[in-house]
Amino acid sequence: MPKKTAGAKKTPLSYNRTNGYEKISPLDLRKLEETAKGYMAFLGSSKTEREAHDEGLSLLQAAGFKDLDALIAVREKLKPGDKVYKSWYGKTLLAAILGRRPLEDGLQIIGGHTDSPRLDVKQNPLYEGGELALLDTHYYGGIKKYQWTALPLALHGVFVKRDGSKIAVKVGEEPGDPVFFISDLLPHMAADQMKKTLAEGIEGEGLDVIVGSIPCKGKKQKEKIKYRVLELLKEKYGVSEADFLSAELEFVPAGMPREVGFDRSMILGYGHDDRACAYAALRALLDIEKTPEFAACVVLCDKEEIGSYGATGMESNFFENTVSELLALEKGAHEGLAVRRALARSWMISADVNSLYDPLYPGVSEKKNVSYINQGTSLSKYGGARGKSGSSDANAEFVAEIRRIFDKAGVLWQTGELGKVDAGGGGTIALCMARYGMCVIDCGVGVISMHSPWELVGKLDVYMSVKGFKAFLKDERGSFSSRSSSQALREAGEGGRKRK
Ligand code: MN
Ligand code: MN
């Protein structure tokens, strides 16, 4: 039996989970409301990956982060405490605060994504039928198609014209704006439809959006209603039908995030997955006051909902390339091995949402291991499906480090899994980073009704994610347990640089 040390905090014998509101401090309770306000503002103005990028960028610039590309151009040397960002195609964003240690010792990384399920407008989308003009769409990410009918939709995105000029579109969010609509069949005439499964009741090609119903003037013109829409688009945006060919237009649920419940404890919004974690990561980085021990890095990527492929997805070399650029500016020269070491020695939280226990659907969860609303940020050692397949499954040593970091900082947290065994599963960007050999674990805000047009989160869980992410970014790595043995050996030899 180990001898008891006087004054040591007693560890309870059993592990109990409780509602965070029963143990949260008054100070945290105040900060929770501030965080919720900031998050709701961010979420309301970040309905696409481009908008989230722009919102993030303005927060970073206001906090003194500098454009890495500008620093590269003048070959400015990076030093501890320097704040930089790298923007990629106006969609993916990386920001970092250089640490006291060199980058080669590894980074503390939080990575989230800013794309959310939605309906993308097709390349040649506009047509007329039944006295209506409609835009044809191709859905993006995993949606239940029937959920996207019969609700107000807003249109966000850009036209890029042949001369390179870019025209931003945002219709349906201001109080006086019109909205758009996908029809559904009235129950009286839906006898056949109602016999179909939820998956078949509304088809992907059936998700066409009503955008107009007044014909143009002029007797000779064919498809007058479609033509009238083109006239209005020309008037407002200076575009023609061919400009749809090089556009990225996204239909999303219209409206701002709202507080939910008599107690206002929850937030209803479009795109909590994964803007709740993206915001929490950004907020955590922006709140760091002192130069961290290791470089603190946040990456907000695109394309997660469709497999992380593409130049702005985490499967691209964007992250590795940017770390190489940072190293080159820090050391004055680029060394391939230093990049490998920096990546392999990094620690990462793959910040993505988790699913919460829903009392309306108890059968899909296993009650001991599912996350609950208001029990704090949700940590998942593994994801995957059918026997953890496709999961990076974090090492127990790394999970222990996260426990140490969160508990020391007073973060309320819980564990979570996406559905009971063989009932669910899912993947995140954790895999894209684990391939470098770095320690990665999934952690983020729990969501009810994930991937539906309106998703629900608890304010406490958003706040505790900010708090947990900040503690992680600042961490000095108290033990060697999760680091590569070569790094541990090297540092043991250096002595002077070793921390307790
Ligand atoms: Mn996600
Ligand atoms: Mn998702």
Side-chain angles (χ1 to χ4, degrees), residues 68 94 103 107 109 297 317-329 334 338-340 342-343 346 433 438:
L68 181 62
L94 181 150
L103 287 162
L107 296 83
I109 305 161
C297 175
N317 286 341
F318 166 73
F319 188 83
E320 183 182 331
N321 291 348
T322 307
V323 169
S324 305
E325 295 283 7
L326 288 169
L327 262 160
L329 283 192
H334 177 270
V339 177
R340 298 286 135 204
L343 292 167
S346 287
M433 302 296 269
M438 69 175 74

Side-chain angles (χ1 to χ4, degrees), residues 167-450:
I167 301 122
V169 177
K170 189 173 179 179
V171 184
E173 303 295 356
E174 297 302 321
D177 276 4
V179 293
F180 307 96
F181 183 72
I182 299 173
S183 62
D184 197 357
L185 210 47
L186 63 168
H188 318 62
M189 288 157 63
D192 286 342
Q193 185 198 36
M194 297 289 267
K195 284 181 204 142
K196 293 182 183 172
T197 63
L198 287 178
E200 293 161 342
I202 300 288
E203 288 174 12
E205 278 297 354
L207 293 174
D208 295 354
V209 185
I210 296 172
V211 297
S213 67
I214 298 181
C216 65
K217 301 224 168 66
K219 294 219 166 73
K220 282 191 190 151
Q221 184 60 47
K222 279 191 222 157
E223 300 195 301
K224 287 183 178 179
I225 297 166
K226 169 181 166 177
Y227 200 79
R228 178 67 186 140
V229 168
L230 288 173
E231 284 176 349
L232 289 169
L233 289 172
K234 180 78 187 169
E235 231 170 78
K236 184 149 189 211
Y237 304 107
V239 296
S240 61
E241 189 173 10
D243 290 322
F244 276 108
L245 298 171
S246 50
E248 282 178 359
L249 299 166
E250 309 174 7
F251 280 110
V252 297
M256 290 297 109
R258 305 284 296 267
E259 290 180 310
V260 172
F262 292 115
D263 55 13
R264 298 173 180 267
S265 59
M266 297 160 276
I267 303 169
L268 189 71
Y270 161 66
H272 286 312
D273 177 9
D274 183 34
R275 291 166 199 143
C277 299
Y279 179 77
L282 259 182
R283 190 73 265 156
L285 186 73
L286 292 166
D287 286 353
I288 289 177
E289 295 120 10
K290 285 194 284 182
T291 301
E293 177 73 0
F294 294 85
C297 175
V298 164
V299 57
L300 306 181
C301 65
D302 178 28
K303 301 278 185 279
E304 194 274 346
E305 296 295 358
I306 55 169
S308 293
Y309 305 113
T312 53
M314 268 325 253
E315 286 284 354
S316 80
N317 286 341
F318 166 73
F319 188 83
E320 183 182 331
N321 291 348
T322 307
V323 169
S324 305
E325 295 283 7
L326 288 169
L327 262 160
L329 283 192
E330 182 197 61
K331 294 168 81 87
H334 177 270
E335 295 171 46
L337 185 58
V339 177
R340 298 286 135 204
R341 284 177 173 164
L343 292 167
R345 290 168 180 163
S346 287
W347 284 9
M348 181 187 189
I349 284 180
S350 162
D352 209 342
V353 293
N354 210 330
S355 76
L356 290 177
Y357 180 80
D358 183 341
L360 267 54
Y361 303 94
V364 296
S365 303
E366 186 265 284
K367 287 189 171 180
K368 299 188 305 304
N369 285 284
V370 65
S371 288
Y372 294 82
I373 196 158
N374 293 336
Q375 287 196 2
T377 194
S378 171
L379 188 74
S380 290
K381 184 179 184 298
Y382 51 84
R386 295 172 304 280
K388 296 187 178 181
S389 190
S391 168
S392 63
D393 202 354
N395 291 327
E397 288 87 342
F398 189 50
V399 183
E401 297 279 12
I402 302 290
R403 284 179 64 196
R404 169 184 63 75
I405 294 169
F406 284 3
D407 289 344
K408 195 174 160 217
V411 176
L412 303 180
W413 64 281
Q414 58 185 323
T415 55
E417 60 178 16
L418 202 69
K420 68 182 181 185
V421 176
D422 289 340
T428 66
I429 60 169
L431 289 176
C432 316
M433 302 296 269
R435 74 159 60 95
Y436 294 113
M438 69 175 74
C439 295
V440 190
I441 191 160
D442 283 300
C443 181
V445 178
V447 176
I448 287 176
S449 262
M450 196 198 293

